[in-house]
Amino acid sequence: MDKAFYQHILNKQQITGAVPSNKEIATWALQVIRLLYPEQSKKLYTFVHQLESEFLKLQSELCELLDATRGRQHENNEEIARTFFNGLPELYRLLNTDIQATFAGDPAAKSEFEVIRAYPGFYAISFYRLSHALYQLGVPLIPRILTEYAHSKTGIDIHPAARISDHFHIDHGTGVVIGETCIIGRHVKLFQGVTLGALSVNKSQSDVQRHPTVEDGVVIYAGATILGGRTVIGEGSIIGGNVWLTKSVPAYSKVYHTHEVSLLKEKIKD
């Protein structure tokens, strides 16, 4: 390689600066989640002032991450970090509704402790809700890093810009995809392999709604694919497994494939 190439890389490094690794950013998020849910941590606190000190430390760390990932933009990162942490009670409330929905909606769940500790759906949702709060504050890069980290751990891909209401439940979860402009109502339940995607990936449409709207109380079973920004799944509907939808359905619809069963004329020989 010639010196011009080395110089190009050097120039790029100087422009970029020292950016924290994705693992460092994810570790910060995990610390926030584990403070909210000690069920995920072996570290316990005895006094309120200890918790307050820990949250303030994480707030300071967020400010440092913002400084490192915003390039040379002049932003008030201290104010953004403070606003994010002031919003934690609401984030915690939303996550508690997701825990309740998962426990109530899964007969296999023995306790809310088990949901918090072991369920990939809750893991992915907790990262999503934290990322979405940062996204709403105009934070670039970090929200996507965090949801992709959760994606790598669970197989559940939720874009941080998606708008998801309370009591959200993802059962099993592997292969779930929720696109950037999705709008999901209250008390919605998704099973594994569900895709809420776009009909088109044209870059010129990046500012319009490209992904479906799923209204309150909808259940979408495994392998269903629902596409398009004009597609609305009406309140209380049930979408069966492996259904492909690109058009809206009214409230309280049931959409499913019909299967034909035929008997063999004779027993298959071994």
Side-chain angles (χ1 to χ4, degrees):
M1 293 185 289
D2 59 23
K3 287 188 177 180
F5 178 76
Y6 292 129
Q7 187 63 50
H8 170 74
I9 299 299
L10 178 63
N11 292 343
K12 193 174 180 181
Q13 288 182 345
Q14 291 173 341
I15 292 170
T16 303
V19 179
S21 69
N22 290 3
K23 186 175 181 181
E24 288 177 85
I25 294 170
T27 297
W28 169 82
L30 279 169
Q31 288 176 309
V32 174
I33 293 166
R34 286 168 181 168
L35 273 182
L36 296 175
Y37 294 100
E39 296 90 337
Q40 294 187 2
S41 175
K42 65 180 181 180
K43 188 174 183 179
L44 299 175
Y45 297 87
T46 308
F47 302 104
V48 168
H49 72 83
Q50 293 175 313
L51 271 174
E52 184 179 13
S53 176
E54 196 65 25
F55 276 116
L56 286 172
K57 180 175 78 72
L58 289 170
Q59 180 175 313
S60 177
E61 288 178 8
L62 174 58
C63 192
E64 292 172 7
L65 291 174
L66 292 172
D67 288 340
T69 54
R70 277 184 169 270
R72 302 188 183 281
Q73 297 180 39
H74 298 289
E75 299 284 353
N76 189 349
N77 291 332
E78 289 184 5
E79 180 61 29
I80 291 172
R82 184 162 48 250
T83 302
F84 171 81
F85 275 87
N86 286 340
L88 276 186
E90 173 60 13
L91 188 149
Y92 182 64
R93 183 195 71 80
L94 284 169
L95 284 172
N96 284 338
T97 71
D98 302 326
I99 294 166
Q100 293 160 12
T102 300
F103 178 62
D106 186 356
K110 300 299 185 288
S111 66
E112 291 190 358
F113 183 99
E114 181 182 11
V115 171
I116 295 166
R117 183 78 192 200
Y119 273 53
F122 177 69
Y123 188 96
I125 292 168
S126 61
F127 266 80
Y128 155 75
R129 294 225 183 266
L130 191 154
S131 301
H132 184 68
L134 290 170
Y135 179 88
Q136 287 183 306
L137 292 171
V139 174
L141 188 61
I142 290 175
R144 193 60 186 269
I145 287 173
L146 293 179
T147 53
E148 288 301 335
Y149 178 84
H151 181 194
S152 72
K153 294 292 184 182
T154 64
I156 299 168
D157 182 0
I158 309 175
H159 195 285
R163 290 185 280 166
I164 303 176
S165 297
D166 56 272
H167 291 86
F168 184 49
H169 175 198
I170 299 176
D171 203 341
H172 303 296
T174 306
V176 166
V177 177
I178 300 173
E180 178 184 17
T181 60
C182 249
I183 301 171
I184 297 177
R186 306 178 67 232
H187 295 277
V188 169
K189 181 177 183 180
L190 308 183
F191 284 81
Q192 68 273 18
V194 168
T195 297
L196 302 177
L199 276 169
S200 171
V201 292
N202 192 322
K203 195 71 174 177
S204 66
Q205 294 182 314
S206 61
D207 293 331
V208 301
Q209 185 172 350
R210 309 180 308 281
H211 304 90
T213 296
V214 179
E215 295 184 343
D216 297 351
V218 170
V219 178
I220 306 176
Y221 282 96
T225 298
I226 303 172
L227 306 177
R230 296 182 180 180
T231 304
V232 178
I233 306 303
E235 178 181 356
S237 293
I238 297 173
I239 309 301
N242 298 315
V243 163
W244 177 281
L245 272 177
T246 58
K247 293 182 179 179
S248 298
V249 299
Y252 304 103
S253 297
K254 183 181 287 186
V255 184
Y256 57 93
H257 284 301
T258 57
H259 299 279
E260 291 184 5
V261 178
S262 58
L263 297 176
L264 296 170
K265 291 183 178 179
E266 58 183 51
K267 182 180 178 181
I268 297 175
K269 297 179 179 178
D270 294 333

